[in-house]
Amino acid sequence: AQSVTQLGSHVSVSEGALVLLRCNYSSSVPPYLFWYVQYPNQGLQLLLKYTSAATLVKGINGFEAEFKKSETSFHLTKPSAHMRDAAEYFCAVRGRGSQGNLIFGKGTKLSVKP
Amino acid sequence: DVKVTQSSRYLVKRTGEKVFLECVQDMDHENMFWYRQDPGLGLRLIYFSYDVKMKEKGDIPEGYSVSREKKERFSLILESASTNQTSMYLCASSLFFSRTGLGNTEAFFGQGTRLTVV
């Protein structure tokens, strides 16, 4: 069965510092992977998705993620954190079957210090 | 602009009440989902539907039921609300995999309904 594990429930960085949010997946088939962001009291918004066309995926708001099959990872990065990046981030993998439900990690809450 | 709309942002209900959470999407998506979100547990799938009148149980269906009479609308029903159902509920929709041929079809989410059962 597919699953994702997000390492670290809380990550704190200073404004301008590198953001690195970790996600490892488990899948017996080529995975379809996603990163979502949730701002306080909001729904989830897609940041980026892995399409298999390229291992480095660029998303919105300056975020990108690199798919590494050998490490079964899909870590999310941003070179320079901004205060507005403070939110909760979820990694997800598509479940098996054609219905397409997404299986989510437990989330990582990002804090950005001035 | 694609849209998934949940009927209420905040709800307060009493224990034992029957509660309806409504979700409407305007993207002609086949798939619709209800997730529950709790701190430290992430999002857990309650039910999903891939067609009108079709439904499948997710990971935590106990205490919930769903209804999909029209393609655009997916309702979550708490038959007899209990305090342990206090949570954030998120509705989502997506295209059916076989229509796109692409496994990377994403889900679009509503704003969420924060339900408190007292």
Side-chain angles (χ1 to χ4, degrees), chain A residues 3-105:
Chain A
S3 66
V4 290
T5 302
Q6 292 183 243
L7 300 175
S9 57
H10 285 88
V11 170
S12 181
V13 300
S14 298
E15 195 172 17
L18 171 71
V19 176
L20 171 60
L21 304 182
R22 300 177 187 273
C23 173
N24 288 89
Y25 68 89
S26 171
S27 177
S28 58
V29 297
Y32 297 105
L33 296 160
F34 307 80
W35 273 102
Y36 282 84
V37 61
Q38 184 181 37
Y39 299 103
N41 295 315
Q42 299 289 322
L44 274 67
Q45 178 183 0
L46 182 72
L47 269 179
L48 49 82
K49 61 183 180 182
Y50 172 60
T51 66
S52 76
T55 56
L56 184 62
V57 182
K58 293 191 184 299
I60 63 171
N61 302 340
F63 284 92
E64 60 185 34
E66 187 171 8
F67 174 73
K68 291 186 176 180
K69 185 177 178 180
S70 60
E71 298 177 9
T72 61
S73 68
F74 191 56
H75 301 331
L76 182 71
T77 59
K78 182 173 180 176
S80 177
H82 194 278
M83 297 295 291
R84 62 173 173 259
D85 296 327
E88 191 157 20
Y89 293 80
F90 293 93
C91 182
V93 65
R94 175 182 295 290
R96 300 197 73 170
S98 57
Q99 288 84 4
N101 59 291
L102 297 182
I103 299 166
F104 286 85

Side-chain angles (χ1 to χ4, degrees), chain B residues 52-70:
Chain B
V52 174
K53 297 191 185 296
M54 305 300 289
K55 60 185 179 184
E56 293 284 342
K57 291 181 180 179
D59 300 316
I60 51 165
E62 297 78 18
Y64 303 94
S65 63
V66 290
S67 171
R68 193 159 180 209
E69 297 296 320
K70 293 185 177 182

Side-chain angles (χ1 to χ4, degrees), chain B residues 102-117:
Chain B
L102 296 172
N104 61 357
T105 302
E106 69 265 35
F108 294 85
F109 282 82
Q111 293 286 77
T113 296
R114 188 168 293 282
L115 172 67
T116 302
V117 182

